[in-house]
Amino acid sequence: MKIREIMTRDVQTVRPDDSIRRAAQLMDQLNVGILPVCDGRDLVGVVTDRDITIRAISAGKQPDRTRVSEVMTANPRYCYEDDPVGSVTELMAGQQIRRVPVVDRNDRLTGIVSLGDLATDAKNDRAVQDALERISSPSQPDRT
């Protein structure tokens, strides 16, 4: 099975120069915790609700004046829409990430795949269970 068969399509995005308030409002409207950050159709990063909270709000940054580019994760891990589900599951488990942007072979954003997509639609339940356990295992806090 290929990722294109289970990924979420038509994802909303934000631009690097959008405010984090706009990103947070969009997350609220869509009931999501991550947004791809695109310059045109090119994926340049991802921003999560946690990025906004930890990298901006806890640091006292102003939501209307802080740009997404200041708190996003640049150069995120991504997969291709024709990648096998198993290899993406391994990527997610190895990096302990729950959501991965999906691009085509021209590196244009086409969707996003989440652990929920895998759990709902993937046929190999054991692989998903193993990935969930590995992704969810506690990690040491980053105190740097």
Side-chain angles (χ1 to χ4, degrees), residues 3 27 35 55 109-110 125 138:
I3 283 298
M27 287 178 187
L35 291 169
R55 295 179 181 170
L109 182 71
T110 60
D125 293 342

Side-chain angles (χ1 to χ4, degrees), residues 21-78:
R21 180 181 305 278
R22 181 183 181 313
Q25 289 171 333
L26 190 54
M27 287 178 187
D28 183 36
Q29 288 171 358
L30 300 170
N31 194 28
V32 297
I34 188 172
L35 291 169
V37 181
C38 292
D39 186 3
R41 287 195 54 214
D42 295 328
L43 178 69
V44 296
V46 294
V47 64
T48 66
D49 48 5
R50 188 174 193 282
D51 292 333
I52 293 169
T53 302
I54 303 300
R55 295 179 181 170
I57 304 305
S58 71
K61 295 185 178 195
Q62 298 299 313
D64 289 319
R65 293 197 286 225
T66 305
R67 302 292 133 222
V68 168
S69 61
E70 296 176 52
V71 301
M72 72 181 194
T73 299
N75 304 311
R77 302 277 189 218
Y78 61 88

Side-chain angles (χ1 to χ4, degrees), residues 112-125:
I112 196 162
V113 65
S114 70
L115 192 56
D117 294 326
L118 293 170
T120 301
D121 295 319
K123 302 298 185 231
N124 187 342
D125 293 342

Side-chain angles (χ1 to χ4, degrees), residues 8 12 14-16 23 41 46-47 73 84 93 102 106 133:
T8 300
Q12 294 290 317
V14 290
R15 296 182 321 266
R41 287 195 54 214
V46 294
V47 64
T73 299
V102 181
N106 294 315
E133 288 173 11

